[in-house]
Amino acid sequence: MSVQERLAGIEQAFGQVFGDSQGLTIGRAPGRVNLIGEHTDYNDGFIFPMAIDFDIVMAVRKRSDRMVRIHAIDLGKTVEFSLMTPLTYEPREGWSNYPKGVLWAMQETGVRLPGMEMAFSGTVPPGSGLSSSAALEVATAIVVQKLVGFQIALPALARLCQRAENDFVGMRCGIMDQFISLVGEKGHALFLDCRSMAHEQIPLQLGTYKILICQSGVKHSLVDSEYNRRREQCETGVRVLAEKYPAVRALRDVTLEMLGSCERQLSPVVYKRCLHVITENERVLKSINALKAGDLVAFGELINQSHDSLRDFYEVSCEEVDLLVELAREVPGVLGARITGGGFGGCTVNLIRADAVHDFTGYVLPKYKEETGIDAQIYLSTAAKGAELIQMR
Ligand code: GLA
């Protein structure tokens, strides 16, 4: 569907739900896939994600009162709340907590919000680990920012969306998903230093290769609690390491030698978590060098190592995703395959020769179905442009 067709669909749905579609501010924000650098963002480390060709389009306009009504076009559901009372998290209203959380975070920074009508529709598969929630937050943030006219610089806007998720929804995510959704550039993946926030857009010159995303169709429960637990384990590691090395503020500051020297003070689990983060940071740096040198074989190898470390040391994979990775690696033309995102299901990211995509589909998907009974989905994506306002009338 073309952008124009999607816009027309959103305007039409907006009109049906809210009476007419005059005076809309419309914006879009993409999901993301992380190529390498997993569970490093909240350890002040390095990440290398790209925005994908799947996004959320959000339309908004003011109301004269202080009610907010948000309509999810794809679900046919509308949620309504008042800005006259404090905004609260509603566990039974899943998706609506993300835009609501962004409004809450804006209020927390002192912005006085007007009542609003909002409608959105998306192509990011929800619950797949491709950050549909961050796309929803960022789409909300840019349209409401425009509507209200308040100024906020870029890293702060990403932080505001992250805060919505951390402090309103209760998921202690890092900065990756919101940041890449905001700053993605067409044809580039983003190298971000999550401590200094210095970033570099790296041209993704893959030649005859492509990025293939494969969705396992699995989302284990407890994703958020296990994620938060990983963060706590990293924090424990930092506390222990800082006793011997006072300059250590995050796992970013720890070398393998330092970790080795504290092995006996760390529980085996915490040791493994730290080992993953330290080596993953190194893999990101090596990946950037490999890409700059046009060495896709080396990049693929690092992707493979990342998965093995996430599976064995960080323990955020699961049987189904491990199977998808193993099957993918059996396909000639696949240079690397790994789990991507927070883990416990979700997607794999694969670096694959374009002419092998057909073999991937013909081999991996049926084998996976045979063993798990699940239909995996394939998405091919280029590196896409980040969030933008697309129409104001
Ligand atoms: C989730 C979080 C990100 C990041 C990844 C793991 O996607 O939202 O901040 O921590 O997991 O790399």
Side-chain angles (χ1 to χ4, degrees), residues 133-274:
S133 52
L136 184 51
E137 290 155 12
V138 170
T140 304
I142 63 163
V143 293
V144 174
Q145 183 194 16
K146 181 70 191 173
L147 185 80
V148 180
F150 72 97
Q151 299 297 318
I152 180 166
L154 189 119
L157 191 56
R159 290 243 179 266
L160 188 144
C161 294
Q162 182 193 14
R163 185 158 181 220
E165 198 143 334
N166 288 177
D167 298 339
F168 192 79
V169 176
M171 155 76 170
R172 295 183 64 206
C173 67
I175 194 67
M176 170 161 66
D177 308 344
Q178 294 80 7
F179 198 83
I180 181 63
S181 182
L182 273 165
V183 309
E185 263 184 29
K186 198 162 181 44
H188 294 71
L190 177 88
F191 170 52
L192 175 67
D193 176 336
C194 297
R195 170 168 280 168
S196 67
M197 298 308 279
H199 53 282
E200 187 183 346
Q201 301 281 357
I202 310 284
L204 203 59
Q205 282 158 345
L206 300 179
T208 54
Y209 284 80
K210 282 187 179 303
I211 299 297
L212 181 151
I213 301 162
C214 188
Q215 208 218 110
S216 66
V218 173
K219 189 183 181 201
H220 289 286
S221 54
L222 301 175
V223 177
D224 292 3
S225 57
E226 282 296 323
Y227 181 95
N228 290 349
R229 187 188 314 212
R230 294 298 178 282
R231 281 197 72 148
E232 283 160 21
Q233 289 163 340
C234 291
E235 286 158 8
T236 304
V238 168
R239 268 196 305 278
V240 172
L241 283 148
E243 279 169 25
K244 180 157 180 192
Y245 302 101
V248 169
R249 285 190 290 128
L251 289 181
R252 156 74 174 276
D253 305 312
V254 181
T255 62
L256 280 180
E257 291 69 33
M258 290 158 76
L259 179 68
S261 78
C262 292
E263 187 171 354
R264 276 192 288 137
Q265 285 77 53
L266 295 161
S267 74
V269 167
V270 171
Y271 176 82
K272 282 196 281 186
R273 305 298 187 248
C274 298

Side-chain angles (χ1 to χ4, degrees), residues 32 34 37-42 47 129 131 133-134 162 165 171-178 227 231 310 314 338 340-343:
R32 64 95 188 93
N34 191 19
E38 216 68 83
H39 291 278
T40 45
D41 61 352
Y42 53 82
I47 56 170
S131 283
S133 52
Q162 182 193 14
E165 198 143 334
M171 155 76 170
R172 295 183 64 206
C173 67
I175 194 67
M176 170 161 66
D177 308 344
Q178 294 80 7
Y227 181 95
R231 281 197 72 148
L310 287 158
Y314 218 65
R338 70 174 200 92
T340 183

Side-chain angles (χ1 to χ4, degrees), residues 22 28 31 33 60 75 81 84 110 150 153 156 188 195 332 337 367:
Q22 298 302 305
R28 57 165 286 279
V33 67
V60 64
L75 302 173
F81 50 89
M84 303 292 281
F150 72 97
H188 294 71
R195 170 168 280 168
K367 279 254 180 199

